[in-house]
Amino acid sequence: MDELPPPLTQNINVPISYSLPSPPHDLMQTQIASDIDWVSLLSAAVGLENGSTKHKGRVGRTKKTIPPRIAFHTKSPDDILDDGFRWRKYGQKAVKNSIHPRSYYRCTHHTCYVKKQIQRHSKDASIVVTTYEGIHNHPCEQLMESLSPLLRQLQFLSSF
DNA sequence: CGGCTTTGACCAGCGC
DNA sequence: GCGCTGGTCAAAGCCG
């Protein structure tokens, strides 16, 4: 499986819960432990979403397929969570029933079309709701950067 | 100069 | 059909 979820790194904020949007119902929220198995978690989310019907609203101007979606609730003073990937902001909108605007980000990798939305919780401003849409089709740059010295060492040792 | 953010305009879905 | 709302576009400006 080369489609990995946003990996946990040492400086990443640990989500306190995640939500699986499952239309037509509202978000289904589950508390998670800090040592969560991210691969199986996101795999479950992908499986759940693939079988679902279309969700409310326009998915995109050109894209017709519905990508998998998963939302993380993170208690953090920072809006932008460092998940190891590079993101470019392409929009911000004020949303109804919330004083906090919603920010829209796209993965900057040219072949990757993953998007994420970031919004502060309407009732608890200390909670950041990050919604990922789609799965990255490339490795995490930051993770590969931190692993490359280790990989080089392993290659060196394996030559003996 | 390239990459990024900001921000107003635009578009499409939905409910009435 | 119309208005509201959420999502996206794209020009302008900022920054390293």
Side-chain angles (χ1 to χ4, degrees):
Chain A
M1 176 180 175
D2 51 359
E3 293 176 342
L4 292 175
L8 279 176
T9 56
Q10 286 186 332
N11 55 351
I12 189 176
N13 297 291
V14 178
I16 57 173
S17 70
Y18 69 95
S19 304
L20 301 178
S22 110
H25 310 295
D26 271 337
L27 297 183
M28 178 173 69
Q29 192 177 112
T30 310
Q31 295 293 324
I32 57 173
S34 57
D35 58 344
I36 185 169
D37 178 357
W38 288 89
V39 175
S40 54
L41 167 63
L42 281 184
S43 299
V46 169
L48 189 150
E49 280 300 295
N50 280 349
S52 68
T53 54
K54 67 171 182 178
H55 53 258
K56 188 186 173 185
R58 190 161 47 121
V59 172
R61 241 167 233 186
T62 52
K63 290 180 85 173
K64 297 273 194 268
T65 55
I66 297 122
R69 268 182 154 191
I70 184 165
F72 292 97
H73 290 206
T74 313
K75 211 170 182 100
S76 167
D78 301 319
D79 284 349
I80 302 170
L81 308 180
D82 183 7
D83 53 14
F85 291 96
R86 292 180 64 202
W87 301 93
R88 172 169 35 238
K89 189 175 186 176
Y90 66 90
Q92 178 173 307
K93 284 284 288 189
V95 288
K96 204 185 169 189
N97 299 326
S98 177
I99 56 171
H100 307 287
R102 179 181 297 160
S103 300
Y104 300 90
Y105 293 85
R106 237 196 296 263
C107 182
T108 57
H109 197 274
H110 37 282
T111 60
C112 184
Y113 301 102
V114 175
K115 288 178 280 189
K116 75 171 178 181
Q117 301 174 5
I118 294 178
Q119 183 186 7
R120 291 221 166 258
H121 200 278
S122 55
K123 287 172 183 154
D124 188 349
S126 65
I127 294 177
V128 179
V129 182
T130 306
T131 307
Y132 289 93
E133 193 172 300
I135 304 294
H136 293 278
N137 58 10
H138 59 96
C140 168
E141 292 170 24
Q142 190 175 304
L143 182 65
M144 294 309 286
E145 213 169 284
S146 59
L147 284 180
S148 56
L150 183 63
L151 287 171
R152 274 199 296 273
Q153 198 168 359
L154 281 172
Q155 283 174 342
F156 175 72
L157 289 172
S158 65
S159 64
F160 291 107

